[in-house]
Amino acid sequence: MNEAYAIPAVAVVVLATVLIGGFGLRISRTTSDFYVASRTVGPSLNAAAISGEYLSAASFLGVAGLVLVYGPDMLWYPVGYTAGYLVLLVFVAAPLRRSGAYTLPDFAEGRLESRQVRTVVSVLVVGVGWLYLVPQLQGAGLTLQILTGAPRWLGGALVAAVVVLAVAAGGMRSITFVQAFQYWLKLTALLVPAFFLLLAWHRDGGAPPAFPAGPELPSSGAGTGQPIATSRADHPLYATYGLIVATFLGTMGLPHVVVRFYTSPNGRAARRTTVFVLALIGFFYLLPPLYGWLGRLYAPELTHAPDADAAVLLLPGRTVGGIGGDLLGALVAGGAFAAFLSTASGLTMAVAGVLSQDVLPARGVRHFRLATVLAMTVPLGGTLLVSAVPVADAVGMAFAVSASSFCPLLVLGIWWRRLTPPGALAGLILGGGSALAAVTLTFAEVVRSGWLHTLLAWPAIWSVPVGFLAMILVSLATPGHIPPHTSATMTRLHLPESLTVRQTAAAAEGGGTGTRAEAGSTGTREGP
Amino acid sequence: MTGTAAAVLLALCPLLLAGGFLLGRRTAHPAGRSDVGSPVEHATFETLHTASLAAPPLRAGLTEDTARKSARRLRSLLGTDALCLTNRSTVLAWDGTGEHHAKQVMERLAGLLSTGRGAAFDCGCDSVDCPLRWAVAAPIVVDQRVLGALIAYAPRDSAVLARAADEVARWVSVQLELAELDRSRTRVIEAEIKALRAQISPHFIFNSLAAIASFVRTDPERARELLLEFADFTRYSFRRHGEFTTLADELHSIDQYLALVRARFGDRLAVTLQIAPEVLPVSLPFLCLQPLVENAVKHGLEGAVTRSRITISAQDAGAEAEVVIEDDGVGMEPEALRRILRGDAGPSAGIGLSNVDERLRQVFGDDYGLVIETGVGAGMKITVRIPKYRAGVHSSPADHDPT
Amino acid sequence: MHRLPRHRTQWEIDEQTTLGAAYVRSLMRSQLRAGIAAFAVLALPVVTMPLFFGALRNATVVWAVLGFGCYPLLVLIAWWYVRRAERNERAFARLVRGADPPGTP
């Protein structure tokens, strides 16, 4: 790979992000433009922003890498990442927006009227955020190493530094525009090279579009996440179902996803936004399978390399070659950095917000900066300490924790009136806590093989039922603790805006008819 | 695995999907019942609704006008050929055929009006064309006083009609009683609105109207627009429900306020806005930014300054929104400002500032008071921080539909 | 004219009376039913597909179905659900107010 092109590409992406973030809305407006300036974010723009923030290193690099090594069964990852939004749409989107909550702790406090639940949710949000940040930083390290041969830690440190500086300096002011831009950038960065790769494939005689068989088992040796690979090979069906449960149910609880829904003006718009998100990320996910397949055709030796995650970066150079290949490679590298930056900054903002509000003692702008540094330092330390797990698998674990804690909280909180704070606590701690413990043990490689390892690496399949059951059973056992305003909260969550809004209009109208009626009756009194 | 088996399995796929879809449809449309109403139920409601249309006219009291309007509805409710409404002395309305009977009605009602008991009588009509042979009269009673009567006519006697007429008369009585209640309630509400009106400075209203008037000749279109802005602005300021509003609505009202101010001062006032769309859904106490802008305008235009610039910005800051209102006007002695915020500066000076400060602290806690930076001749910068979520703070959502 | 709340049912809901709660419960049930229907349409194939793929052992089919075939389906289910949910809300608004709310497309 030619670094003469790639490094400027990465630099341009970083610069563009900072510039759009910092100056996007500094453009002054006069009152005549007020409507333009104050228009709420529409569903399509917000959807692009959500997608831009959501499509992380796992989507950009990880999926294609896993498909290349383990075959098309790995495509359950992108399917799950997408279908998670469908589950979010049908059970959560509109009521969550109508709750007025900005973060998950806000939702928990508003629905259950308990500070304790809020605290536990905050801790879990931070945990999930950190789990999700680790693979982003790892991916950045890998990318920079392949581009320049720099040591692994440098890329992660670079992304961490850029994000902390941008977020802490208040540079991410127009975050919606930044993230929307990142979506289109990422899409372009995979779409254009894919087009040329397909041309090259056609030029080479166009082997039939069948998926070539790979090695039955990945080679032994110091490969990435070896125990996970072995477990997957031993219990493929369990691993698949585990990952389906985690991704389908985990999306709704990801901290950076929840925060973006606040931007929708109302519940109806939140629903429409989610449909747009489904379409946008669904379209994006058409590309990684192509890369995985082309990887098997053109770079089969990568299946044995420890860094299959790099396949997307290396393919243009191998397949197209020449200056064109270098330029396309630079484009992909830029897109990859966009992926790290957008997801990492979104997560850092969300985690820092929770840290500054619920964990650090005092409030204020300076504490938000401190929280930002803290939000980034821990996962950065994590990347240096823990052994490498494939990017997509690591993200899958964050999903598992979210699915076993936040999914029961949101679904039962929105649809079940008898949920009580003790029940929610039990579910969060038993479901989310056990999943978090399982994932931590996997990262720490305490158990390296056998069924136990498999159960710990894909915990969602048992921890999600545990979370739901604990929440339901303990709630039923503590009927005296149902929050006093449950009925009012439920009404707010589910009542369509057309009703609440018409109330305003009716009140205004009522004032008018009152006066008019008086004039009318005076008239009739004069009549007879 | 052979090719045929694979083909069979592949064929199963759409079947499975179709099965899922059908299952979904069945759960979504359970046969015969729906929680939000079947079409038949909706039709019933609409019928009932139509019936209830008779009520509003009566709610203005029993007069010739209201009786005429409601008699039509009441007749269709009873399904009779003719229906008559009277007060104590005269026929107020006749609906349906055979109006020549109206002349004799009052004679027949003498007993009813004195005792308050219903009556039935034969019409004794000679005309062959007239279908009315029998009538039932029911009293309309409010506060134990007989106000009048409802008389239903039919071709022959009918127990059902007698009972129905009685019930309808009773219902009319209730409506008229409610009309009494309404009148007292209206008086209370008007007193409330008067109290609220005191919140908007009368000077502002006079000045705005004067400015609008000055455009009526020269630029009628502009005058029309300004009048609409004025109407919108006052409607927002007078609204009576809810303690909280959204930043979007509050800013919208500020925009209208500024349009009115600029109509008066023209080029002397320049306004710059920087609004991050992410913070527009934030909930905050009703009318807590508008007084700050009013304050900035006042300071900016005070003294001999020829031009003044006001900057309003709303930025996204993590879990908070940060609103900054800045002017380059005469500024203020910090000590005087402190007195105002303590509330010992007398009623005239900047009552808006201390009121806003107090309300913000009350709702969001002491960390969220106003932060004001100022000095004599140095302009003034007011910073408001608003948490994006605070338990108990909920506004009705924005009514600007995004579609 | 009349000064009682214009929409009695609306008022019941706003004031949290038992009757208002019953109305909201009905709305929740109809929305939940729509959600579960959409979820069932999603879950049924998803639960069976891994078994099916395991039996099939044809990488190309798996690649084509998971990589390209399922996304339009997901968007379709989402679209159906949103239509259904908005229809439920409109029906509910009509039920509460007795007429189609103006301004709702």
Side-chain angles (χ1 to χ4, degrees):
Chain A
M1 165 143 291
N2 193 330
E3 52 198 71
Y5 298 107
I7 292 174
V10 171
V12 163
V13 166
V14 171
L15 208 67
T17 305
V18 172
L19 284 181
I20 297 184
F23 296 99
L25 267 168
R26 297 281 172 84
I27 306 156
S28 301
R29 296 181 200 275
T30 56
T31 27
S32 54
D33 289 335
F34 186 87
Y35 253 126
V36 185
S38 70
R39 198 155 51 195
T40 44
V41 180
S44 50
L45 175 64
N46 200 22
I50 292 176
S51 312
E53 194 159 298
Y54 186 64
L55 294 172
S56 66
S59 310
F60 200 90
L61 301 179
V63 170
L66 282 179
V67 170
L68 171 63
V69 178
Y70 301 105
D73 273 333
M74 291 300 104
L75 287 172
W76 279 109
Y77 269 111
V79 172
Y81 294 153
T82 317
Y85 274 98
L86 186 57
V87 181
L88 184 145
L89 167 71
V90 302
F91 291 130
V92 175
L96 178 67
R97 176 62 197 96
R98 286 175 183 146
S99 77
Y102 176 59
T103 60
L104 278 172
D106 290 343
F107 174 82
E109 192 193 359
R111 169 67 179 82
L112 293 164
E113 299 165 44
S114 151
R115 295 289 304 180
Q116 267 175 308
V117 179
R118 183 185 176 105
T119 311
V120 173
V121 172
S122 302
V123 170
L124 281 167
V125 165
V126 173
V128 170
W130 279 344
L131 269 180
Y132 210 119
L133 272 168
V134 170
Q136 308 305 321
L137 299 180
Q138 281 180 336
L142 171 70
T143 308
L144 208 67
Q145 185 185 39
I146 285 168
L147 293 181
T148 66
R152 262 295 164 87
W153 56 269
L154 191 67
L158 178 71
V159 166
V162 169
V163 167
V164 166
L165 281 178
V167 173
M172 284 296 173
R173 288 221 161 109
S174 51
I175 189 115
T176 306
F177 291 104
V178 180
Q179 302 289 21
F181 162 75
Q182 301 275 24
Y183 170 78
W184 295 109
L185 178 63
K186 282 179 233 182
L187 186 69
T188 316
L190 277 198
L191 193 62
V192 172
F195 179 69
F196 283 103
L197 289 176
L198 284 179
L199 274 186
W201 164 75
H202 188 73
R203 179 198 64 203
D204 294 350
F211 198 86
E216 274 307 300
L217 268 178
S219 64
S220 55
T224 314
Q226 196 52 46
I228 288 198
T230 324
S231 275
R232 176 153 33 228
D234 289 348
H235 311 286
L237 216 52
Y238 176 85
T240 304
Y241 279 118
L243 119 84
I244 287 175
V245 173
T247 49
F248 276 49
L249 303 181
T251 307
M252 65 176 76
L254 295 179
H256 58 309
V257 171
V258 173
V259 167
R260 284 274 81 81
F261 273 89
Y262 188 88
T263 308
S264 288
N266 56 44
R268 195 161 147 263
R271 243 190 238 126
R272 296 184 166 205
T273 303
T274 319
V275 180
F276 277 108
V277 171
L278 263 169
L280 288 178
I281 57 180
F283 185 63
F284 177 89
Y285 281 136
L286 296 178
L287 298 170
L290 267 183
Y291 278 84
W293 166 60
L294 289 167
R296 280 260 172 119
L297 284 183
Y298 288 102
E301 77 282 0
L302 275 178
T303 46
H304 301 280
D307 299 323
D309 280 339
V312 173
L313 294 169
L314 297 175
L315 261 177
R318 306 243 172 142
T319 315
V320 180
I323 273 203
D326 285 344
L327 282 174
L328 292 175
L331 183 60
V332 177
F337 256 81
F340 310 136
L341 280 177
S342 54
T343 307
S345 64
L347 279 166
T348 309
M349 290 268 289
V351 171
V354 170
L355 280 176
S356 69
Q357 263 204 311
D358 296 306
V359 182
L360 297 178
R363 286 151 192 271
V365 178
R366 204 172 312 139
H367 282 86
F368 185 71
R369 287 179 191 155
L370 181 70
T372 311
V373 176
L374 190 64
M376 204 36 135
T377 319
V378 174
L380 188 61
T383 45
L384 302 181
L385 289 179
V386 305
S387 65
V389 170
V391 170
D393 279 324
V395 166
M397 291 178 194
F399 273 89
V401 178
S402 161
S404 11
S405 52
F406 303 139
C407 171
L409 178 75
L410 283 167
V411 170
L412 293 177
I414 288 170
W415 298 104
W416 197 46
R417 285 163 187 266
R418 284 148 84 185
L419 183 69
T420 64
L425 281 178
L428 287 171
I429 291 170
L430 286 178
S434 61
L436 196 61
V439 166
T440 315
L441 289 179
T442 311
F443 266 115
E445 301 204 325
V446 176
V447 187
R448 295 187 62 94
S449 59
W451 256 111
L452 189 59
H453 177 269
T454 315
L455 285 173
L456 293 180
W458 288 278
I461 225 165
W462 51 269
S463 61
V464 171
V466 165
F468 268 102
L469 273 180
M471 245 181 229
I472 292 172
L473 293 179
V474 176
S475 289
L476 287 178
T478 55
H481 290 76
I482 292 177
H485 301 106
T486 299
S487 186
T489 313
M490 285 307 206
T491 304
R492 205 176 48 247
L493 293 185
H494 294 280
L495 207 62
E497 284 78 15
S498 61
L499 288 175
T500 35
V501 168
R502 295 313 295 178
Q503 188 195 357
T504 321
E509 208 180 309
T513 34
T515 8
R516 235 178 286 138
E518 219 179 47
S521 54
T522 325
T524 40
R525 248 179 260 129
E526 285 161 8
Chain B
M1 173 131 312
T2 61
T4 43
V8 168
L9 280 173
L10 257 183
L12 273 175
C13 238
L15 273 179
L16 214 56
L17 284 178
F21 184 71
L22 282 178
L23 189 79
R25 275 205 90 86
R26 276 211 73 77
T27 28
H29 301 275
R33 60 176 291 270
S34 155
D35 278 313
V36 288
S38 66
V40 181
E41 283 160 340
H42 279 292
T44 315
F45 301 145
E46 266 159 40
T47 318
L48 284 171
H49 174 71
T50 319
S52 76
L53 289 175
L58 290 170
R59 296 293 281 279
L62 190 62
T63 65
E64 208 163 319
D65 185 42
T66 59
R68 185 171 42 75
K69 282 183 191 151
S70 59
R72 196 158 50 89
R73 314 278 190 187
L74 293 175
R75 190 168 73 85
S76 63
L77 200 66
L78 282 168
T80 59
D81 297 306
L83 184 133
C84 172
L85 282 173
T86 74
N87 62 12
R88 288 190 69 88
S89 54
T90 174
V91 171
L92 292 175
W94 183 284
D95 196 71
T97 56
E99 201 161 350
H100 56 277
H101 287 282
K103 291 191 291 286
Q104 315 137 21
V105 168
M106 293 318 292
E107 305 158 21
R108 307 267 191 173
L109 290 179
L112 180 143
L113 289 173
S114 58
T115 63
R117 295 220 180 124
F121 46 87
D122 285 319
C123 295
C125 185
D126 308 328
S127 161
V128 188
D129 295 336
C130 179
L132 309 180
R133 290 284 176 270
W134 181 78
V136 56
I140 297 170
V141 183
V142 173
D143 271 346
Q144 325 213 313
R145 284 186 308 120
V146 182
L147 278 197
L150 178 149
I151 306 109
Y153 288 86
R156 60 173 179 281
D157 57 348
S158 149
V160 174
L161 181 62
R163 174 66 201 272
D166 190 43
E167 289 298 335
V168 170
R170 220 179 277 251
W171 180 78
V172 171
S173 306
V174 171
Q175 298 302 320
L176 291 172
E177 256 174 61
L178 288 173
E180 273 302 308
L181 267 179
D182 281 349
R183 270 193 280 278
S184 50
R185 203 184 304 217
T186 311
R187 282 193 286 276
V188 174
I189 285 166
E190 261 159 25
E192 270 176 32
I193 288 186
K194 267 185 202 129
L196 272 164
R197 271 181 196 143
Q199 283 182 2
I200 296 189
S201 135
H203 287 114
F204 171 69
I205 294 181
F206 297 142
N207 291 337
S208 303
L209 288 176
I212 294 171
S214 73
F215 284 110
V216 167
R217 283 266 201 80
T218 53
D219 190 350
E221 187 51 34
R222 173 121 194 252
R224 202 185 78 88
E225 275 166 23
L226 285 170
L227 257 184
L228 289 177
E229 302 264 18
F230 184 72
D232 261 6
F233 174 74
T234 45
R235 183 176 302 142
Y236 177 78
S237 308
F238 288 165
R239 73 171 208 181
R240 286 180 298 110
H241 78 280
E243 205 184 327
F244 302 106
T245 183
T246 59
L247 194 54
D249 285 354
E250 185 80 5
L251 285 171
H252 185 61
S253 149
I254 287 175
D255 177 45
Q256 283 161 341
Y257 168 79
L258 287 172
L260 293 165
V261 172
R262 280 150 57 94
R264 182 148 166 254
F265 293 104
D267 288 342
R268 280 186 62 197
L269 185 70
V271 181
T272 311
L273 290 156
Q274 293 174 10
I275 314 289
E278 288 86 358
V279 298
L280 289 174
V282 173
S283 296
L284 73 168
F286 179 60
L287 274 190
C288 82
L289 295 183
Q290 198 267 339
L292 306 182
V293 175
E294 200 170 336
N295 182 75
V297 169
K298 216 169 69 193
H299 281 260
L301 294 171
E302 230 168 61
V305 194
T306 44
R307 277 181 63 89
S308 166
R309 169 169 293 279
I310 293 177
T311 310
I312 302 170
S313 76
Q315 306 289 5
D316 190 16
E320 291 170 357
E322 192 183 80
V323 182
V324 180
I325 294 158
E326 201 173 357
D327 68 77
D328 57 358
V330 291
M332 193 182 262
E333 185 72 44
E335 192 45 45
L337 181 69
R338 239 167 258 137
R339 271 205 309 280
I340 287 177
L341 287 180
R342 271 202 309 269
D344 358 312
S348 61
I351 193 162
L353 285 188
S354 69
N355 175 289
V356 169
D357 184 54
E358 198 177 297
R359 279 195 295 156
L360 285 173
R361 283 172 200 272
Q362 211 171 25
V363 173
F364 298 124
D366 275 341
D367 291 336
Y368 290 93
L370 294 181
V371 177
I372 305 180
E373 296 159 51
T374 185
V376 175
M380 189 183 268
K381 178 181 177 187
I382 307 181
T383 308
V384 188
R385 288 186 304 126
I386 308 163
K388 283 188 179 168
Y389 176 85
R390 185 49 55 104
V393 176
H394 301 287
S395 59
S396 45
D399 46 356
H400 318 292
D401 206 312
T403 45
Chain C
M1 225 175 276
H2 62 290
R3 271 257 147 236
L4 274 179
R6 248 169 98 87
H7 304 299
R8 210 74 79 94
T9 321
Q10 168 94 59
W11 177 83
E12 302 271 4
I13 291 171
D14 295 338
E15 298 292 311
Q16 298 301 315
T17 62
T18 47
L19 187 60
Y23 268 98
V24 175
R25 250 179 247 264
S26 289
L27 171 70
M28 278 173 66
R29 264 204 305 276
S30 64
Q31 294 292 49
L32 185 61
R33 201 177 289 129
I36 288 178
F39 185 70
V41 174
L42 170 74
L44 226 69
V46 164
V47 168
T48 44
M49 250 155 41
L51 293 170
F52 174 61
F53 288 151
L56 195 65
R57 291 183 171 281
N58 182 339
T60 309
V61 171
V62 179
W63 178 69
V65 171
L66 288 185
F68 311 98
C70 58
Y71 297 107
L73 190 73
L74 289 177
V75 177
L76 212 68
I77 299 176
W79 178 75
W80 173 83
Y81 168 79
V82 168
R83 257 188 29 159
R84 169 107 217 131
E86 289 189 357
R87 183 149 24 110
N88 278 345
E89 285 181 353
R90 272 201 302 278
F92 181 75
R94 212 165 55 224
L95 188 76
V96 167
R97 269 207 306 272
D100 230 344
T104 320

